Amino acid sequence: MRMERARSQREDSVHNIKGILANTSLFRMLDERQLEKLTAVAQPLRTASNACLIGQGDAPHGLFVVVYGQVKVGFERKDGNEKTLAILGQNRCFGLVEMLIDQPHLAFVKTTTDSMLLHVDAATVMSLARENFSFAHELMLRVSRQMYALTRDIESYSLQTARQRLANYLLRQGRYQAGQLVELIASKTLIASRLSLTPETLSRLLHEFSAEGMISVTGRRIRILDQDRIVALVGA
């Protein structure tokens, strides 16, 4: 009886993992056989907040997909502070670039909340890419988007003022969330690091934007009141 119950639990677990993978945009083009192959090797990982998934200098062993929760990608500075490069939520993946070029991770990845992830080893990913052109194409798109985002960030840090960086961030989040109401995806401290601002500067800018009638702020919710002015600020 115990063996049957254990076998049933394993089958339910495999079924759940397969369902998660099938509904993940990165793997949506895989056929049934390829999905079974992926399910057989995918490793679920449930972690608490502030768990280190990848350390700076770690060797690449595959890619991770965020099932739920959130992770931050960043550097640890010599003064003990962190620089956040990216904040990734549900359905986002990381570890892809390092896996493809077989180079150590330059940045750490830590959870910012209780999270569940799936890990897939490099050999399986590359095998599926050789079998399925659409999957290989999706991998190339993901890497290209990361490169574009990195270039955009360098441009922002180098050429934009603090006010322009915040305005640009609000506009991008508004597009992602499809509305004038923007829900901050992380703490203000984390978002400040992402924008290369101090938390104090971010709070001051939010207060200024609010006083100028461009936004209203309620906790983590920011309503864009004058999008034209924010757009103009970015292009100033």
Side-chain angles (χ1 to χ4, degrees), residues 171 174-175 179-180 214 224-233:
L171 291 174
R175 287 196 294 270
Q180 297 297 95
M214 290 190 286
I224 297 177
L225 303 176
D226 194 337
Q227 182 166 326
D228 290 342
R229 286 179 64 194
I230 296 177
V231 171
L233 176 59

Side-chain angles (χ1 to χ4, degrees), residues 6-204:
R7 182 166 59 250
S8 176
Q9 290 174 344
R10 286 195 299 271
E11 290 173 351
D12 288 344
S13 177
V14 169
H15 178 75
N16 289 338
I17 291 174
K18 183 178 179 181
I20 291 169
L21 292 169
N23 287 291
T24 300
S25 59
L26 177 60
F27 305 118
R28 68 185 185 280
M29 70 295 297
L30 299 181
D31 61 30
E32 186 67 18
R33 182 190 64 80
Q34 292 166 341
L35 199 57
E36 291 282 358
K37 180 178 180 179
L38 187 64
T39 302
V41 300
Q43 297 293 318
L45 179 63
R46 291 178 173 84
T47 68
S49 178
N50 204 37
C52 184
L53 304 169
I54 295 174
Q56 290 176 237
D58 284 358
H61 296 294
L63 63 83
F64 291 82
V65 177
V66 181
V67 178
Y68 63 76
Q70 187 183 79
V71 302
K72 61 180 177 180
V73 183
F75 298 118
E76 291 183 356
R77 293 170 167 161
K78 292 181 179 180
D79 61 5
N81 293 319
E82 295 179 350
K83 163 57 186 169
T84 302
L85 300 175
I87 304 169
L88 308 176
Q90 185 178 20
N91 212 23
R92 300 290 296 277
C93 69
F94 57 92
L96 176 59
V97 172
E98 294 84 356
M99 181 200 74
L100 290 175
I101 63 176
D102 193 26
Q103 291 295 313
H105 291 273
L106 298 177
F108 67 71
V109 182
K110 297 179 181 178
T111 56
T112 63
T113 185
D114 293 350
S115 304
M116 177 182 176
L117 306 102
L118 289 177
H119 177 262
V120 183
D121 66 274
T124 300
V125 173
M126 299 308 294
S127 175
L128 291 172
R130 286 190 290 270
E131 295 177 15
N132 189 314
F133 174 78
S134 295
F135 179 55
H137 184 251
E138 181 65 24
L139 293 178
M140 289 189 292
L141 283 177
R142 300 272 173 144
V143 172
S144 299
R145 291 189 191 109
Q146 288 186 35
M147 177 61 70
Y148 184 84
L150 177 61
T151 304
R152 182 188 61 202
D153 287 345
I154 293 172
E155 177 192 36
S156 173
Y157 305 149
S158 304
L159 304 178
Q160 291 186 331
T161 66
R163 284 172 62 88
Q164 288 174 318
R165 293 203 294 275
L166 176 57
N168 204 2
Y169 175 81
L170 293 175
L171 291 174
R172 288 206 309 269
Q173 292 303 309
R175 287 196 294 270
Y176 295 151
Q177 299 180 28
Q180 297 297 95
L181 184 62
V182 174
E183 182 90 24
L184 295 182
I185 61 174
S187 69
K188 290 180 181 177
T189 298
L190 197 56
I191 290 173
S193 176
R194 175 73 181 83
L195 298 176
S196 288
L197 304 173
T198 65
E200 294 77 16
T201 299
L202 177 59
S203 294
R204 175 176 57 80

